[in-house]
Amino acid sequence: MKIFEPSRAIYRKKTSRIKICEFCNLKNIKKQESKFLSGKYWRVLVNLYPYMDGNLMLIPKRHIIDTNELNSDEKAEFFEVLEKTKNKLGKIFKTKDFNIGLNLGRNAGASIEHLHWQIIPRKFKIENASNIFADIQIMTMLPGEFKKILDAEINLRNN
Ligand SMILES: [Zn+2]
């Protein structure tokens, strides 16, 4: 019996350094998720670091980092969840205009590896703004406040 196993020690050191993905940490995202808008394969989350008011995110339940990893069920459900989310945001923010976008990879600005689409309702146009997904922040409400508004809207329409 081998007592000393150096490769195992290296493995342990490696795995202990691996951080749990923020979007796979269910305890973490519980307060962000709109269960009503989420589907079987997709979750809808309030962005805690929003680009603008009403910023929601669509994330696959599986830890996927590229669109080419999505299976046919996930692809099929994506647009269902997107439409439902768009409709709800449209009612809350009284608009039909949206930014819907995806930053794929760190060089493209994704801070979390786990695939996440951003959806932002737009009530007005910001002139001379070509970098909507990079720097612009026009905030009038905190993410927690927005989550309350979203939940209230869902309760209102579905009871
Ligand atoms: Zn993940």
Side-chain angles (χ1 to χ4, degrees):
M1 193 177 115
K2 246 204 274 182
I3 304 272
F4 180 60
E5 177 52 79
S7 63
R8 190 75 207 158
I10 289 164
Y11 173 73
R12 261 204 216 106
K13 215 172 170 185
K14 245 189 201 166
T15 50
S16 69
R17 257 190 282 130
I18 295 169
K19 280 193 203 156
I20 299 169
C21 164
E22 267 186 71
F23 290 159
C24 288
N25 185 343
L26 298 185
K27 213 176 135 196
N28 217 23
I29 61 173
K30 206 177 162 190
K31 56 182 183 298
Q32 281 173 267
E33 184 176 7
S34 170
K35 289 261 182 204
F36 173 80
L37 293 174
S38 292
K40 198 172 167 193
Y41 306 105
W42 293 87
R43 293 182 203 285
V44 178
L45 305 180
V46 170
N47 191 337
L48 296 182
Y49 309 97
Y51 291 104
M52 294 177 82
D53 284 345
N55 188 176
L56 291 176
M57 294 180 296
L58 270 62
I59 69 164
K61 290 190 178 178
R62 291 194 300 137
H63 183 86
I64 287 173
I65 62 169
D66 198 331
T67 47
N68 63 17
E69 293 173 65
L70 292 167
N71 64 36
S72 51
D73 289 334
E74 287 159 341
K75 283 179 190 169
E77 197 194 59
F78 176 77
F79 283 98
E80 264 175 55
V81 174
L82 179 66
E83 285 308 315
K84 208 172 159 188
T85 304
K86 231 171 89 224
N87 286 341
K88 200 52 77 182
L89 282 177
K91 275 176 193 150
I92 294 170
F93 289 88
K94 298 178 177 55
T95 185
K96 288 185 157 98
D97 301 350
F98 297 91
N99 288 115
I100 297 167
L102 172 67
N103 294 338
L104 200 60
R106 288 203 185 270
N107 291 327
S111 53
I112 293 174
E113 216 180 30
H114 193 132
L115 201 64
H116 52 289
W117 263 268
Q118 305 283 355
I119 173 164
I120 302 167
R122 298 300 302 272
K123 282 194 86 161
F124 51 89
K125 192 170 184 277
I126 300 166
E127 299 298 334
N128 303 321
S130 58
N131 57 347
I132 291 297
F133 283 120
D135 300 316
I136 291 175
Q137 297 210 355
I138 297 180
M139 303 297 304
T140 60
M141 61 176 85
L142 293 167
E145 290 174 49
F146 169 54
K147 178 68 165 63
K148 278 184 201 153
I149 292 167
L150 181 66
D151 291 342
E153 168 70 21
I154 285 161
N155 287 334
L156 193 76
R157 308 262 169 187
N158 298 291
N159 286 338

